[in-house]
Amino acid sequence: MENRLVPRTEGEDKSGFYDRQLYQQYHNGENPMQTVDRNPASPSERFKDHPGDPRDRRNQEVIHTAGSIDNSDLATPINSSALIKAYINNLPAYRKGLTAFRRGLEVGMAHGYWLIGPFAKLGPLRDTDMANLAGLFSTVGLLIISTLAISLYANSNPPPQPVTNVTTDRNVPDAFTSPEGWNEYAGGFLIGGIGGAGLAYFLLANIEAFSHLINR
């Protein structure tokens, strides 16, 4: 039986384009092995008029290069998803329209509020009446150390320049591009942290009173 070339159906195989070409040459009486292009056009040239063509293997990749390869900036289904990007860009560090002090204030309040718990409930004085107060002092001490670390980072030479990535949409607030902005952020962080720790201490110290009010 004569061995005939049969074209493959659309979408059956990514190489169907070349099969159809060979099939047409066969029916034109040409020798496909002599006329076939051994160096077909690159994907960028073949699909330049159809950027979303599913036959383009670049559209079948799950992870893409989003920026500089040297910074390992890759776009994955997680860090480039709309949900994750909306969450990250709504955090105080990246939310638009905030001053450096306001950013530090919000971040500090969250840290101060939650840090007192481990110190009060897991510290060496956890079984004494001074547990909550010891947790407060420990939290304030850690906040001061963190503020000093931020100040040292802000005054490093050269000034710190945050690396942007695909998740933040290349959005770097001006507060994080100069030592002045970082120092202002550090001041807000300390004040917010002490305020958050003080609020948490007040709630822990009066938790029994709140329980009586609720159970009335």
Side-chain angles (χ1 to χ4, degrees), residues 56-67:
D56 188 349
R57 293 187 177 181
R58 296 172 300 172
N59 295 328
Q60 302 168 18
E61 297 292 337
V62 177
I63 300 177
H64 303 272
T65 301

Side-chain angles (χ1 to χ4, degrees), residues 47-170:
F47 300 101
K48 63 181 179 180
D49 297 329
H50 305 281
D53 197 312
R55 293 176 298 172
D56 188 349
R57 293 187 177 181
R58 296 172 300 172
N59 295 328
Q60 302 168 18
E61 297 292 337
V62 177
I63 300 177
H64 303 272
T65 301
S68 174
I69 300 179
D70 297 334
N71 294 331
S72 300
D73 192 6
L74 300 176
T76 69
I78 297 177
N79 69 355
S80 61
S81 66
L83 178 63
I84 298 300
K85 293 173 71 173
Y87 171 74
I88 295 298
N89 286 282
N90 196 46
L91 294 176
Y94 296 103
R95 194 186 315 146
K96 296 181 180 180
L98 300 181
T99 63
F101 183 84
R102 172 68 182 275
R103 298 180 192 278
L105 192 68
E106 290 192 29
V107 175
M109 289 178 64
H111 282 72
Y113 183 82
W114 293 111
L115 281 175
I116 190 174
F119 285 120
K121 301 303 180 182
L122 301 176
L125 299 178
R126 59 184 177 274
D127 295 327
T128 67
D129 295 336
M130 301 292 293
N132 295 333
L133 187 60
L136 175 63
F137 289 155
S138 299
T139 301
V140 172
L142 181 57
L143 290 170
I144 293 175
I145 294 174
S146 300
T147 302
L148 293 176
I150 295 174
S151 298
L152 290 174
Y153 179 73
N155 293 280
S156 60
N157 190 15
Q161 295 293 329
V163 178
T164 61
N165 54 57
V166 64
T167 307
T168 59
D169 290 330
R170 315 297 171 188

